[in-house]
Amino acid sequence: MDHLDDGDLDENQLQACFLLHQGAPRASKCGSQSPRRKAGKKENTSDVKPENDSAGLPSVLGEPPSYGLLRWQAFNAVWGRIQKLVEDIVEGEYHETFVAVQQWICNRQFSDAQLSVYHSARLVSNGSIDPCLAASWPVDSASWGKQLHTALVFLGGINPSDHWRTFNALALHLKAHNCHVAHLTSVDFLFKAGVSGPVRSLFRQLINIDPETTDMEILAAWHKEAENQGLPIAIIIEGPESCDAKILSEFLVLLSEWIAELPLVLIMGMSTAEDAIRRLLPASTLARLHLWRFTLTEPRKLLELIIRAILIESFCAFELSHEVALFLCFYFEGHDHSVTSVMRSLKIACVEHFWKEPMSFLCNSLLTANSKENLEEQCAGLPDVLLSHVNSFPSLKGNPVLGGIDTLSSERMASSLWQLRPQKRMWGIVFQCLSALGKYAGFSFWDMLCAVLQWVTKRSTAHDTDEKLGPLEKVVSRLRDMTGSSLRSTLEEWQKATVYDKELNAEVSQILLEMSNSTPGEANRLAATSLPVKSQSLDGGGVKTDASHSLKPCVLSRSALRRIGQQRTPGISQVGEVTVNKRAEDLLRRVLREHLKPPESRPFHEIFCFKDVHVLKQALAGETRRKVHMDLLNSQKALKCDCCPADGDLSSSLHDTTLAYILSQEYGDLVRVHNWYQAFAATCDPKVQVAGDAEQGDSLTPRKGRSRKSMDLPLDGEGSVKKKRGRPRKSLDTCLENGTEEKQPEVLVENRVQEENAAIQARFTRAATELQIVGLVQMPKKGNSETVRRICI
Amino acid sequence: MVVAMGKKGRDGRLFQSEGSLSKVMTDEECRKFLSNRFPGRKDQVDDLLCILGEPTDIFPPVLVYGSPATGKTSIVREVLSLLGRPHAYVSCRSCHSPRLIFESVLNQILGHVRSRENNYSSARKCDKLTDFVTHMVGACKDSGKLSEKTIYLVFDNVELIRDWAASGTIMSSLLKLSDLTRLPNLGLIFVSSAGPDSFQLATASREPVPVFFRDYSNEELYQILTMRQPNSELYSFFLKSSLAPFSRASRKLTELAEGLHPLFLKYCEPLLSGKVVLNDQGKRELYKYVKGYIQPALGQSFSISEPEKSRPPSTDQELKSLCSSRPVGAKSGIGFQLSLCSKYLLLAAYIASRNPSTLDDSLFGSGDGVKAKRRRRSSVSSMDKEEALTQEKHLKGPSLCSLERLLAIFQCIAADSHLVSEKSEDFQSSCAEASERRMRDVTSNVLIELVSLSSVNLVIRSSSSPLEGLPKFRANVDGDFIHKVARSINFPLDKYLLHG
């Protein structure tokens, strides 16, 4: 982070910093954007950095080097767990549809075979054709007007990043069940290549050859071979909406011409509604398809399952702070429903955490430890460096129990960490209870989750305002006016959810029992269900009785008051229900306050909790090119260095990329590479500048292609750029006018400069390439090799 | 008996099958057999047989044309194979380039079979017409078919050649192939759904002899459709009630068969359930019953079947699964999920492409009074003018809008709707609030989502104009759809649209 401030922009130093990713996110807000983006990207994509495999993560804070390896292992363990969790859920959800598709292919083949037998039998039995003639007839006369069986797999949403994964899984599944599978994407259906594009891809995938011609006879010949005989060929077209409609329709017609000879089956993944197929294909093509509907789990529901599993139900020894969780929820809701984005964001969070937090290696022990003692052992062996790091945790500062260095003991830490598992479980249980209630109130999982997270976040910032439940108030208050039956089913769901917590379970059962006592008709049934649970819970929880006793008086008094208030409503059951409603509500309120605590409120949470929303936000929501553009142009402002002249003139101390980009602003759409380079060299090296000036003739006629003004530039930025036009432009203009000299720069420059020139050329090339990677400049095209196209923003 | 319809199957071994056919029919037998098999096609069969003549006769180029699914291909191929004439068949549909046609013809004449051993290559490589002519002569000599017997080449779907590059030359050179190759006994048959006038042939080319396959009449359709049904009696009753309205919509046999099939299943329903017995009374009841379904069935362009859930796929099962096919659009809602941001983008694109850009200021600008100021007393003529303008606008359809305008509107409506939702319900709004705040600044995610919207054709991206260099966008959704989207996020769309 310091590199930005010290003003010494040594190249190597910058590079090292970016690779290590040490830049603090807050400081870099104003920093140069492009290299940081690259660093971020690298992290997103790389699964395992090979050099880290053995050495572990680079050490932080001077920790012993072996701890880098430990953190690396911890990351692998935790991330592996999360990944497996997500993949299992996705696989489980899709499995049913995959099996259905595979079964369908089987059935189609079978029924087609039956039909053809039926038809040929009819031909012969009709007597109008003699059998020997019938035999010589092509069999396909039985399959007249046959349609191509087409499975429309409705994906329920536009998540191109997920679709590829889904269809790959489907292809694997079908391959495992004796199908030939070809997986075509919209890239195969380009107008340029015509219908031979998809056919060629088909051959490549099925036959594994790259044929000269794309004659379907090749496929037929291949399929006749012994080992392929009889196996159906499934052709998966992913994203037909984005294919070229004409080519797609031609291809489908072509396939449908061959169904007599080849057992072809088509699978199309539709990301929009069924109407799309009608818009996409002409009626004549559509008439050749027999469409079948398959539906995959909706992406939203899938996401819900994943989020529920990760945030609520499972224990991964890695927590997201509520702020982060809330951000992720909004992000998924607002932008991207895809599983890929979930995986990506979780991975980024994971990587960031294990990268930066030296104590994070404990997560692994937390995940694997069987007992508290195990953990204690781990904590006891901490080196001093890490101990002092632990002491600097902000979570301990506010906590009087665990004060300074002297009182800190490894047991405390271990017990605090050990508590995480049950706490997480409780939080899962409470949330389940809440969402069971939310279901009756008509709130979706997402609404509930967001509300809970918001409430919890608010609560953690403003202390002791516990009385109000914020957005949850609305949900909880529903309990008050619930009718008997829905209350009962809610309570029953609570009972199911709280099986793992005896104390809570007993209380719920108690309420249920009371309720059934008040309505005698169903008393027997309920007693039968709740009693065993209760008796089981009683022997375990000695504390439980105390809790319920301490609760009872206040409950009774309140319910008594209520009863007095509702004298007018007759009937015992009514009164009984009111009590039960109230009791349930009180229970929920108490439990909510007790257990819905954010993980970041616990001591030592720095070890397992990822809190840095900012990093995640930056990694997920990439800035547009505009931001890069602005940062490159206004780098002086951000750096506040002394080396640059205050008047905004260009100086040689500017970063090469920045310099090159600022210089390219002088041009219109097209930048002549040579002129650009000249200007660059002139600024970098005054000697060249001198040479350029000497060359320079006289007039400065304004160029035709005067630079386009960038529209989004704020005024101050614009000004600074404008001012910069001074010397460099002169040399540019000269180069433009003296067309002959510019072809041979080496003639202009003296010999001794030539060597330095090579270095400058290299720097220039790198700068230009970086600009190209960022997407601000397009490299020269075939026809016009002298210019690059500047992308105007 | 089965009438071959729309089937354009192929058989690579046609040439060898010449000898293997146990019995070669005489002209007379063939005539009888085919006119039996293809109702209403007696004249055409006669014509063809006439032109064919004896196996050694010289055969002029013939163009067989008529609407799709009128039996052209089937009859031509059956005549040739029944008479045992050596022939090669090429469909321009699966052979989608001249090279494929040439090679396919040669393969068939030479009896070449593609296999793994020869790396699935064809017998001869010929890219150009000249190669083809040379190879053709060689191939006929090699295979010993240069006897006096005529070899027939059947080119199917030649109307497709018109779309190819240099279509004129290919077509006319195919027509005079026997002249080019100097093989007089080369019979050329072209099958096309387009008439002879639609081929722009070179001036000196030879005009083919036309054989026209007219559309089937109602009686013939009736005859053909009944023939293929297992229970022809029941089906003929059914056709009496439903064929007439259907055949007015389409005379294409394949389409008719497809369209009538679900209706027939409906027709059978009361019979299967035992409500109706098949007697005169029952037929009348069935007639009344099915009457109500004809009109909706006519409007239905396609249907999607549900895959059967339970295992044994008997025909019964299939019937049931076909019966349950849902009509299009029965589902409410938009049918798939869009993220919040995509929805706003879509709305923005819709607004941008429906409204003129001059209106943006009054809609999204800070001053609300602009709109009120514009209101003026309207005379009859100005009202007429306005109406004409509105109509013109509707006829023109949605217009393109630049990326900047689209994003500007997107930002405006995302910000606006935040205010709206605050009023409606505080529980959800408090959740939505933060997300919308996030949405207001355009990040690269928004652009990515715009790209994915355009990849599924909800937003159409026009080729970027060479002058401005930025792509333009247009919403490609209808009013119904966009209103559903708007409703799902409580967005007051009508407020933003100029003409409803």
Side-chain angles (χ1 to χ4, degrees):
Chain A
M1 59 189 279
D2 296 327
H3 66 275
L4 293 173
D5 301 323
D6 60 16
D8 179 22
L9 287 170
D10 181 17
E11 193 57 37
N12 294 328
Q13 197 182 338
L14 271 178
Q15 206 56 38
C17 287
F18 293 138
L19 278 181
L20 289 176
H21 200 78
Q22 293 259 334
R26 274 155 235 93
S28 62
K29 183 85 180 167
C30 48
S32 70
Q33 195 71 20
S34 80
R36 275 184 24 80
R37 278 167 61 87
K38 262 182 279 162
K41 237 179 228 164
K42 210 175 267 171
E43 268 182 3
N44 299 355
T45 48
S46 69
D47 287 4
V48 175
K49 288 176 189 150
E51 69 267 31
N52 284 336
D53 227 337
S54 52
L57 300 174
S59 66
V60 190
L61 282 170
E63 54 169 6
S66 63
Y67 282 86
L69 186 60
L70 281 179
R71 278 191 293 140
W72 175 243
Q73 285 166 350
F75 165 72
N76 276 337
V78 169
W79 170 244
R81 204 180 148 92
I82 295 178
Q83 196 176 20
K84 177 130 197 328
L85 209 64
V86 174
E87 275 167 5
D88 283 352
I89 290 173
V90 175
E91 197 184 321
E93 280 300 308
Y94 284 169
H95 184 73
E96 196 187 339
T97 313
F98 286 178
V99 169
V101 170
Q102 179 245 327
Q103 200 68 48
W104 166 81
I105 292 176
C106 259
N107 291 353
R108 298 279 59 77
Q109 215 189 357
F110 183 66
S111 72
D112 281 352
Q114 274 192 327
L115 268 180
S116 73
V117 167
Y118 166 78
H119 278 292
S120 52
R122 258 167 67 85
L123 275 179
V124 177
S125 66
N126 249 339
S128 48
I129 311 169
D130 48 309
C132 63
L133 195 62
S136 74
W137 268 20
V139 190
D140 56 28
S141 51
S143 60
W144 54 268
K146 208 175 98 171
Q147 288 176 311
L148 181 59
H149 290 295
T150 307
L152 296 181
V153 180
F154 288 98
L155 299 155
I158 311 166
N159 304 321
S161 49
D162 271 6
H163 298 170
W164 187 81
R165 184 200 298 260
T166 308
F167 285 111
N168 249 8
L170 178 61
L172 280 181
H173 180 90
L174 294 180
K175 266 180 197 157
H177 287 85
N178 276 336
C179 273
H180 297 298
V181 186
H183 183 174
L184 305 180
T185 52
S186 55
V187 185
D188 298 316
F189 293 88
L190 294 180
F191 185 77
K192 232 179 0 187
V195 76
S196 59
V199 177
R200 197 174 283 275
S201 173
L202 200 65
F203 289 174
R204 210 173 294 141
Q205 293 183 39
L206 289 175
I207 319 177
N208 221 349
I209 57 166
D210 209 349
E212 265 183 70
T213 55
T214 52
D215 197 335
M216 284 293 278
E217 275 173 27
I218 296 177
L219 195 65
W222 167 78
H223 194 260
K224 276 203 190 88
E225 282 168 17
E227 69 263 30
N228 307 321
Q229 194 77 43
L231 297 186
I233 302 173
I235 298 168
I236 300 177
I237 299 179
E238 176 189 329
E241 290 105 329
S242 47
C243 298
D244 186 278
K246 187 168 172 282
I247 304 299
L248 179 65
S249 127
E250 262 180 54
F251 179 64
L252 295 185
V253 171
L254 179 64
L255 288 184
S256 74
E257 299 242 311
W258 281 87
I259 38 178
E261 270 128 276
L262 293 167
L264 293 171
V265 171
L266 199 65
I267 299 171
M268 292 212 270
M270 308 292 296
S271 42
T272 49
E274 51 195 42
D275 213 29
I277 191 90
R278 188 176 53 80
R279 291 160 181 255
L280 192 67
L281 297 173
S284 57
T285 310
L286 215 50
R288 288 166 180 263
L289 307 178
H290 189 175
L291 303 174
W292 302 79
R293 178 203 313 275
F294 293 91
T295 318
L296 285 175
T297 316
E298 292 174 341
R300 215 182 141 88
K301 189 168 167 233
L302 202 61
L303 211 58
E304 183 187 317
L305 288 172
I306 292 170
I307 293 291
R308 189 191 284 268
I310 285 171
L311 285 188
I312 295 158
E313 279 161 15
S314 74
F315 176 76
C316 300
F318 176 69
E319 296 285 310
L320 299 172
S321 80
H322 280 83
E323 217 182 331
V324 174
L326 199 59
F327 165 73
L328 282 184
C329 285
F330 285 143
Y331 178 74
F332 299 144
E333 175 78 9
H335 287 285
D336 206 346
H337 285 148
S338 64
V339 177
T340 317
S341 78
V342 180
M343 299 271 274
R344 203 172 62 132
S345 40
L346 285 174
K347 188 160 188 178
I348 290 171
C350 239
V351 166
E352 283 287 338
H353 179 67
F354 285 95
W355 190 279
K356 284 194 183 146
E357 178 51 57
M359 292 300 291
S360 56
F361 71 90
L362 276 178
C363 289
N364 197 11
S365 348
L366 196 57
L367 202 61
T368 49
N370 301 320
S371 66
K372 204 166 145 186
E373 285 69 40
N374 263 353
L375 255 169
E376 267 171 36
E377 260 171 54
Q378 282 276 346
C379 297
L382 286 179
D384 290 342
V385 194
L386 291 180
L387 272 182
S388 67
H389 173 69
V390 169
N391 261 335
S392 67
F393 279 166
S395 65
L396 303 187
K397 295 260 163 62
N399 200 324
V401 188
L402 303 154
I405 269 186
D406 317 320
T407 50
L408 181 79
S409 63
S410 55
E411 286 102 60
R412 281 220 175 95
M413 197 158 118
S415 68
S416 170
L417 286 178
W418 187 246
Q419 278 297 308
L420 179 62
R421 206 184 273 261
Q423 273 168 352
K424 173 99 194 242
R425 204 174 57 199
M426 275 316 289
W427 140 250
I429 289 174
V430 172
F431 184 83
Q432 252 175 318
C433 291
L434 199 60
S435 58
L437 179 63
K439 239 186 273 166
Y440 286 96
F443 294 120
S444 70
F445 169 80
W446 287 105
D447 293 340
M448 286 311 297
L449 186 61
C450 289
V452 167
L453 289 176
Q454 273 180 338
W455 174 63
V456 170
T457 322
K458 225 177 261 170
R459 197 178 147 198
S460 62
T461 50
H463 285 288
D464 303 325
T465 50
D466 279 3
E467 280 312 309
K468 274 189 189 167
L469 288 176
L472 288 177
E473 189 70 48
K474 210 164 186 176
V475 185
V476 177
S477 60
R478 287 288 170 111
L479 264 178
R480 242 174 268 163
D481 25 81
M482 264 178 141
T483 57
S485 59
S486 56
L487 181 63
R488 176 168 299 123
S489 51
T490 309
L491 282 173
E492 274 165 14
E493 262 180 71
W494 286 11
Q495 202 177 27
K496 251 181 263 165
T498 55
V499 173
Y500 295 109
D501 188 75
K502 289 165 185 168
E503 200 179 311
L504 210 56
N505 189 284
E507 279 183 55
V508 174
S509 310
Q510 182 85 39
I511 299 177
L512 258 176
L513 197 66
E514 241 172 68
M515 194 176 172
S516 51
N517 284 341
S518 60
T519 48
E522 290 176 52
N524 296 335
R525 191 179 62 82
L526 269 168
T529 56
S530 61
L531 267 177
V533 186
K534 194 190 169 193
S535 59
Q536 175 211 340
S537 64
L538 270 175
D539 54 41
V543 202
K544 169 244 135 202
T545 40
D546 297 1
S548 62
H549 272 302
S550 63
L551 188 74
K552 245 176 190 169
C554 90
V555 168
L556 280 178
S557 63
R558 277 195 197 173
S559 60
L561 278 173
R562 199 165 264 274
R563 209 175 298 157
I564 296 161
Q566 296 197 336
Q567 280 291 343
R568 281 178 295 161
T569 50
I572 303 165
S573 71
Q574 183 62 37
V575 175
E577 265 167 38
V578 170
T579 351
V580 171
N581 282 7
K582 186 65 194 154
R583 281 198 59 171
E585 191 189 331
D586 283 344
L587 176 67
L588 187 62
R589 275 174 197 278
R590 180 170 61 85
V591 159
L592 278 180
R593 279 198 205 103
E594 253 170 46
H595 295 293
L596 279 195
K597 281 183 195 147
E600 58 263 36
S601 69
R602 284 168 207 150
F604 298 107
H605 71 261
E606 283 87 349
I607 294 173
F608 55 83
C609 180
F610 176 73
K611 289 192 295 189
D612 203 342
V613 188
H614 197 78
V615 166
L616 200 57
K617 209 184 280 180
Q618 245 174 2
L620 283 179
E623 297 283 4
T624 47
R625 266 180 293 190
R626 194 179 123 193
K627 178 81 178 145
V628 184
H629 164 88
M630 305 274 293
D631 282 341
L632 279 176
L633 288 184
N634 301 326
S635 61
Q636 276 128 323
K637 245 184 216 162
L639 297 171
K640 293 192 186 75
C641 52
D642 304 328
C643 55
C644 297
D647 58 352
D649 252 357
L650 297 177
S651 80
S652 57
S653 66
L654 270 177
H655 187 260
D656 287 349
T657 316
T658 321
L659 179 61
Y661 191 62
I662 292 173
L663 287 174
S664 76
Q665 297 297 304
E666 302 283 316
Y667 299 83
D669 256 4
L670 293 177
V671 182
R672 291 197 67 169
V673 179
H674 184 74
N675 297 350
W676 190 21
Y677 165 70
Q678 286 283 304
F680 181 80
T683 323
C684 278
D685 195 341
K687 276 169 260 168
V688 183
Q689 172 72 50
V690 172
D693 278 343
E695 276 299 313
Q696 184 188 339
D698 34 316
S699 66
L700 302 172
T701 46
R703 282 193 330 275
K704 288 176 284 176
R706 182 46 63 95
S707 73
R708 282 165 150 260
K709 273 180 198 160
S710 28
M711 293 157 45
D712 305 329
L713 232 67
L715 272 176
D716 49 351
E718 182 89 12
S720 67
V721 176
K722 264 184 194 161
K723 267 183 227 158
K724 270 172 231 149
R725 289 181 197 145
R727 275 180 325 197
R729 214 184 80 220
K730 280 184 195 167
S731 66
L732 284 178
D733 287 340
T734 4
C735 291
L736 254 183
E737 276 146 33
N738 310 341
T740 45
E741 276 106 330
E742 70 188 39
K743 298 265 168 161
Q744 306 108 2
E746 63 271 17
V747 179
L748 309 176
V749 187
E750 294 169 38
N751 275 343
R752 62 187 162 81
V753 189
Q754 264 186 9
E755 289 147 27
E756 291 162 34
N757 230 2
I760 292 177
Q761 272 176 13
R763 280 165 65 186
F764 174 73
T765 317
R766 182 168 60 186
T769 317
E770 272 182 16
L771 287 177
Q772 185 201 6
I773 291 169
V774 178
L776 292 169
V777 155
Q778 266 176 0
M779 279 294 113
K781 296 230 169 80
K782 245 185 207 165
N784 193 0
S785 60
E786 285 184 0
T787 57
V788 293
R789 182 176 282 277
R790 192 167 73 83
I791 292 159
C792 297
I793 297 176
Chain B
M1 243 197 249
V2 170
V3 177
M5 311 187 306
K7 142 210 91 87
K8 270 104 196 184
R10 93 209 23 266
D11 193 343
R13 294 155 293 135
L14 271 178
F15 241 90
Q16 290 97 312
S17 71
E18 173 198 357
S20 66
L21 204 65
S22 54
K23 185 174 146 197
V24 174
M25 287 189 176
T26 61
D27 277 12
E28 204 43 51
E29 279 171 336
C30 180
R31 179 171 297 144
K32 231 176 105 190
F33 176 77
L34 285 181
S35 37
N36 231 338
R37 196 164 130 71
F38 296 95
R41 285 285 169 255
K42 195 166 172 300
D43 297 347
Q44 283 79 16
V45 173
D46 280 351
D47 284 354
L48 269 178
L49 286 175
C50 256
I51 303 172
L52 274 172
E54 292 302 310
T56 51
D57 282 358
I58 287 179
F59 184 82
V62 173
L63 178 71
V64 179
Y65 68 100
S67 315
T70 43
K72 303 178 295 293
T73 308
S74 319
I75 289 180
V76 167
R77 294 191 68 185
E78 300 245 324
V79 165
L80 288 174
S81 54
L82 286 176
L83 294 178
R85 305 285 171 92
H87 66 276
Y89 170 85
V90 184
S91 163
C92 297
R93 184 156 277 148
S94 35
C95 297
H96 42 82
S97 71
R99 179 176 175 183
L100 292 183
I101 293 185
F102 299 155
E103 292 188 357
S104 177
V105 168
L106 287 173
N107 282 347
Q108 290 181 48
I109 291 180
L110 289 168
H112 175 81
V113 182
R114 293 173 191 263
S115 68
R116 177 167 293 173
E117 284 72 43
N118 54 32
N119 201 17
Y120 304 103
S121 60
S122 42
R124 301 273 188 278
K125 186 189 166 192
C126 52
D127 240 338
K128 294 191 197 94
L129 188 74
T130 44
D131 297 344
F132 176 56
V133 171
T134 336
H135 285 307
M136 190 68 196
V137 179
C140 288
K141 272 182 190 149
D142 281 355
S143 57
K145 299 223 169 70
L146 203 59
S147 53
E148 56 282 4
K149 264 194 173 183
T150 309
I151 299 170
Y152 300 91
L153 305 182
V154 184
F155 298 96
D156 202 351
N157 300 321
V158 280
E159 75 275 2
L160 291 176
I161 293 184
R162 288 179 301 173
D163 299 338
W164 299 356
S167 54
T169 20
I170 295 167
M171 193 61 203
S172 28
S173 24
L174 283 181
L175 269 171
K176 50 186 183 189
L177 197 59
S178 61
D179 297 343
L180 289 172
T181 52
R182 303 218 168 75
L183 298 168
N185 51 354
L186 212 53
L188 298 163
I189 305 175
F190 299 91
V191 182
S192 157
S193 60
D197 297 336
S198 67
F199 295 95
Q200 291 174 335
L201 302 173
T203 35
S205 65
R206 201 169 164 185
E207 285 286 329
V209 180
V211 177
F212 177 56
F213 278 55
R214 59 178 172 75
D215 285 350
Y216 290 115
S217 69
N218 259 8
E219 290 74 50
E220 285 155 1
L221 284 176
Y222 174 81
Q223 215 175 337
I224 297 167
L225 285 169
T226 336
M227 244 155 76
R228 344 177 332 240
Q229 287 298 324
N231 193 343
S232 44
E233 195 197 356
L234 180 66
Y235 202 75
S236 69
F237 289 131
F238 164 68
L239 281 185
K240 266 176 201 152
S241 62
S242 56
L243 183 61
F246 264 86
S247 66
R248 247 174 281 150
S250 162
R251 295 198 157 271
K252 217 168 142 185
L253 207 45
T254 40
E255 277 176 12
L256 270 179
E258 280 316 310
L260 286 170
H261 188 59
L263 200 59
F264 180 57
L265 297 176
K266 267 267 173 301
Y267 186 80
C268 294
E269 261 172 29
L271 279 177
L272 290 173
S273 62
K275 272 185 216 148
V276 177
V277 193
L278 199 60
N279 51 20
D280 283 354
Q281 173 66 27
K283 276 174 211 159
R284 266 194 294 279
E285 270 175 35
L286 279 177
Y287 180 75
K288 264 187 225 148
Y289 171 75
V290 87
K291 222 30 190 203
Y293 290 99
I294 289 179
Q295 206 54 44
L298 272 173
Q300 192 174 340
S301 56
F302 72 106
S303 64
I304 304 178
S305 320
E306 301 283 342
E308 60 266 11
K309 287 283 182 285
S310 56
R311 264 2 341 137
S314 60
T315 40
D316 274 3
Q317 199 78 40
E318 213 160 294
L319 285 183
K320 264 179 214 156
S321 75
L322 280 171
C323 289
S324 69
S325 65
R326 261 190 265 170
V328 180
K331 241 159 97 183
S332 62
I334 57 175
F336 57 98
Q337 287 170 353
L338 283 172
S339 66
L340 207 55
C341 174
S342 303
K343 282 179 181 170
Y344 279 119
L345 268 177
L346 202 55
L347 284 168
Y350 190 78
I351 292 171
S353 48
R354 289 285 162 178
N355 288 347
S357 57
T358 46
L359 201 70
D360 287 354
D361 195 32
S362 60
L363 272 181
F364 303 109
S366 47
D368 276 25
V370 189
K371 226 178 173 182
K373 241 187 266 170
R374 275 235 207 111
R375 197 153 290 159
R376 47 174 184 214
R377 270 162 278 119
S378 49
S379 62
V380 180
S381 67
S382 75
M383 273 201 356
D384 278 355
K385 216 183 263 174
E386 213 163 85
E387 205 160 290
L389 265 174
T390 316
Q391 214 152 30
E392 197 189 320
K393 183 93 191 120
H394 266 278
L395 286 175
K396 269 187 191 161
S399 55
L400 292 168
C401 67
S402 66
L403 181 64
E404 277 117 13
R405 189 173 161 228
L406 177 63
L407 289 179
I409 294 181
F410 166 74
Q411 274 174 299
C412 286
I413 60 174
D416 265 16
S417 66
H418 153 58
L419 298 175
V420 174
S421 66
E422 216 168 28
K423 274 179 255 161
S424 60
E425 201 179 347
D426 47 7
F427 177 70
Q428 262 129 348
S429 81
S430 61
C431 301
E433 182 185 342
S435 68
E436 262 142 26
R437 191 167 300 147
R438 259 168 254 272
M439 201 110 63
R440 236 177 286 167
D441 40 296
V442 175
T443 59
S444 59
N445 290 37
V446 176
L447 298 177
I448 288 173
E449 258 162 86
L450 191 60
V451 172
S452 49
L453 277 181
S454 67
S455 80
V456 292
N457 295 332
L458 289 175
V459 170
I460 285 189
R461 177 194 164 132
S462 77
S463 51
S464 55
S465 77
L467 282 177
E468 293 183 40
L470 275 174
K472 296 205 156 199
F473 292 89
R474 173 164 71 82
N476 183 36
V477 289
D478 52 12
D480 270 358
F481 182 87
I482 201 75
H483 277 100
K484 273 179 200 160
V485 171
R487 226 171 292 139
S488 70
I489 50 172
N490 293 324
F491 179 76
L493 179 62
D494 288 326
K495 215 175 92 183
Y496 292 97
L497 290 179
L498 180 57
H499 306 298

